[in-house]
Amino acid sequence: MAGTVCASGALSQLIPPSTVLILIGDMMRGVTPASRPGGPVTVSDLFAGAVLPSLLVVGLFFLYVLYKAIFQPATCPPLPAASGEQQGVSFKDVLRDALAPLSLIVAVLGSILGGIATPTESAAVGAAGATLLALISRSLSWRTLKESCLATGHLVAMVYTIMIGAAIFSLVFKGMGGEHLAHEILASVPGSQYGALILVLAIAFVLGFFLDSFEIIFIVIPIFGPPLIALGVDPLLFGVLLAVTLQTSYLTPPFGFAVFYLQGVFKDIDSATAYRGVLPYIFLQALAIAAIMLAPALATWLPAVLY
């Protein structure tokens, strides 16, 4: 149970419209050459490119849970019935509870993929939709609105602080010839562009053990993005693969944030149990990364069709 909850929660880092994709798109736009067919990679490109990989990861998770439920039913016990009821939660109840968040996702993604709104404008669509849903459910209050504004302000301040620090680091790194050194290292890796891409993704995966996704984005893309693109790696493919890789940073010890959030809700689950539960899902995500590298069209086909 612990692994399923943590892995499902970490999917928000990959499924559009995620803040990770927005930041990757903003950084990729600065390192993608204008001579690229279709122009620099945008947030809309990444949103579209992440749709099929997201479905792939969700499908792998679903098949794993289905396998456990069929062959190891003790690991997937049914929900207990509430007091006074003859049966537990029905599929209708689950569908009703999921309708509101699904409609919000469709509104935000639909406005972007349909060309109605830019990614920046879609944030206003999401905020308005969330406010409307809160109003309909009668949970909108001045206290809720104040807490939402404060949380948004804290997140924006944190992101911009990291961006300023990362920009200074990148300028110093490039000024000291670090970009040329990174290019030489990646060019010497066996396997040409695919070997270099695997190395960069492995570095991002290891950094995910200790750093948050935002810090990794602001460090990895400015340093390794230009050399990878110069070696012939599609920047859109790189951005999507990086997003899938960074999703694991919420699951890997010792700073798996999804595990910490789970323990904050369920005090009886210890860290060892939770980390044992997420290990199969980390392997499934690695399997998804391998599938995307073998079939790059999973990340590049939909953006090419839409844009």
Side-chain angles (χ1 to χ4, degrees):
M1 185 275 290
T4 304
V5 173
C6 290
S8 301
L11 285 172
S12 62
Q13 302 301 305
L14 176 63
I15 297 177
S18 76
T19 53
V20 169
L21 290 174
I22 293 174
L23 291 177
I24 291 177
D26 185 67
M27 297 298 293
M28 290 298 296
R29 185 171 52 188
V31 302
T32 308
S35 58
R36 173 183 176 267
V41 172
T42 64
V43 177
S44 300
D45 292 330
L46 283 172
F47 278 1
V51 170
L52 293 182
S54 299
L55 294 176
L56 174 63
V57 174
V58 171
L60 290 175
F61 286 4
F62 174 78
L63 290 176
Y64 174 71
V65 173
L66 186 63
Y67 167 82
K68 297 286 285 186
I70 294 175
F71 296 101
Q72 299 179 16
T75 61
C76 302
L79 290 173
S83 58
E85 296 181 357
Q86 297 298 321
Q87 55 183 348
V89 178
S90 66
F91 179 76
K92 182 180 179 181
D93 297 329
V94 174
L95 186 61
R96 184 181 65 248
D97 293 339
L99 184 61
L102 284 177
S103 62
L104 187 60
I105 293 174
V106 170
V108 175
L109 275 184
S111 64
I112 297 174
L113 300 181
I116 302 173
T118 65
T120 303
E121 294 167 347
S122 70
V125 175
T131 305
L132 180 61
L133 291 175
L135 185 62
I136 294 174
S137 63
R138 298 181 181 179
S139 59
L140 182 63
S141 63
W142 285 112
R143 178 181 178 183
T144 303
L145 190 61
K146 178 182 177 181
E147 291 176 352
S148 300
C149 292
L150 286 175
T152 302
H154 291 160
L155 179 61
V156 172
M158 180 191 71
V159 170
Y160 272 96
T161 302
I162 296 172
M163 285 182 67
I164 294 171
I168 296 173
F169 172 78
S170 298
L171 288 173
V172 175
F173 184 82
K174 292 179 180 178
M176 297 181 66
E179 187 174 342
H180 298 290
L181 177 62
H183 187 280
E184 292 176 0
I185 293 175
L186 294 181
S188 63
V189 174
S192 186
Q193 60 184 18
Y194 291 102
L197 180 58
I198 292 173
L199 175 62
V200 173
L201 295 178
I203 292 173
F205 176 75
V206 173
L207 289 175
F209 280 67
F210 312 102
L211 300 177
D212 183 67
S213 299
F214 294 167
E215 290 95 327
I216 300 173
I217 291 170
F218 293 134
I219 293 174
V220 169
I221 292 181
I223 293 176
F224 296 109
L228 279 178
I229 295 172
L231 290 173
V233 175
D234 188 331
L236 177 58
L237 176 64
F238 171 52
V240 173
L241 284 172
L242 182 61
V244 180
T245 304
L246 291 179
Q247 185 184 333
T248 62
S249 66
Y250 273 69
L251 303 176
T252 49
F255 300 111
F257 293 99
V259 175
F260 292 159
Y261 298 152
L262 178 67
Q263 289 181 307
V265 178
F266 297 100
K267 305 294 185 181
D268 296 334
I269 298 179
D270 59 275
S271 299
T273 300
Y275 283 127
R276 283 199 306 270
V278 300
L279 283 178
Y281 294 96
I282 295 175
F283 172 76
L284 291 174
Q285 288 179 256
L287 192 62
I289 293 173
I292 297 170
M293 293 189 69
L294 291 174
L298 287 170
T300 59
W301 174 75
L302 189 57
V305 171
L306 293 176
Y307 307 115

